[in-house]
């Protein structure tokens, strides 16, 4: 599946890009506009690379693995209303005492 060494390399590059951005925010006068642009581009590129790598790894799982959240199929079933017309007895009592 996912090459752990590659993922480690990508996350380290992403961490470095965000570290450079933090330095730039701390001392913006130390950077020219082109350097700031490069830092922003590095942040976006490294984050996209990490996300793409994770998505590709996820897509490589066997078709047996569900691509939906656990329990998703349970949510698709029609739910039966609770007995008593859908309102619990305590809710009925609260409603009748406030009316």
């Amino acid at each position: 599946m996912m090459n752990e060494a590659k993922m480690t390399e990508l996350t380290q590059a992403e961490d470095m890009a965000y570290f450079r951005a933090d330095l730039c925010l701390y001392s913006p006068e130390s950077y020219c506009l082109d350097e700031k642009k490069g830092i922003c581009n590095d942040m976006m590129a490294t984050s996209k690379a990490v996300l793409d790598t994770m998505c590709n790894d996820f897509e490589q799982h066997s078709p047996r693995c569900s691509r939906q959240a656990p329990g998703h199929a349970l949510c698709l079933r029609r739910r039966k209303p609770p007995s008593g017309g859908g309102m619990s007895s305590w809710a009925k009592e609260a409603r009748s005492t406030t009316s």
Side-chain angles (χ1 to χ4, degrees), residues 47-97:
S47 293
K48 184 178 181 331
V50 169
L51 180 64
D52 289 345
T53 301
M54 290 190 306
C55 288
N56 289 336
D57 182 59
F58 183 74
E59 289 174 357
Q60 289 176 3
H61 284 99
S62 69
R64 291 181 304 164
C65 294
S66 174
R67 293 185 181 200
Q68 298 171 341
H72 178 73
L74 298 175
C75 297
L76 295 177
R77 291 188 204 150
R78 292 187 184 255
R79 300 181 80 184
K80 295 179 184 176
S83 61
M87 193 179 281
S88 66
S89 59
W90 64 267
K92 287 179 185 176
E93 284 180 34
R95 191 171 195 193
S96 64
T97 57

Side-chain angles (χ1 to χ4, degrees), residues 1-88:
M1 296 297 163
M2 185 185 323
N3 184 350
E4 289 185 37
K6 179 179 180 176
M7 191 62 186
T8 300
E9 181 182 329
L10 289 173
T11 55
Q12 287 175 347
E14 183 183 34
D15 289 344
M16 182 57 73
Y18 279 84
F19 175 73
R20 289 179 56 215
D22 285 342
L23 290 176
C24 182
L25 289 173
Y26 181 74
S27 180
E29 67 278 355
S30 300
Y31 296 86
C32 71
L33 189 58
D34 287 335
E35 289 173 319
K36 292 176 184 176
K37 180 181 174 183
I39 290 169
C40 288
N41 289 338
D42 286 347
M43 288 170 49
M44 289 188 298
T46 56
S47 293
K48 184 178 181 331
V50 169
L51 180 64
D52 289 345
T53 301
M54 290 190 306
C55 288
N56 289 336
D57 182 59
F58 183 74
E59 289 174 357
Q60 289 176 3
H61 284 99
S62 69
R64 291 181 304 164
C65 294
S66 174
R67 293 185 181 200
Q68 298 171 341
H72 178 73
L74 298 175
C75 297
L76 295 177
R77 291 188 204 150
R78 292 187 184 255
R79 300 181 80 184
K80 295 179 184 176
S83 61
M87 193 179 281
S88 66

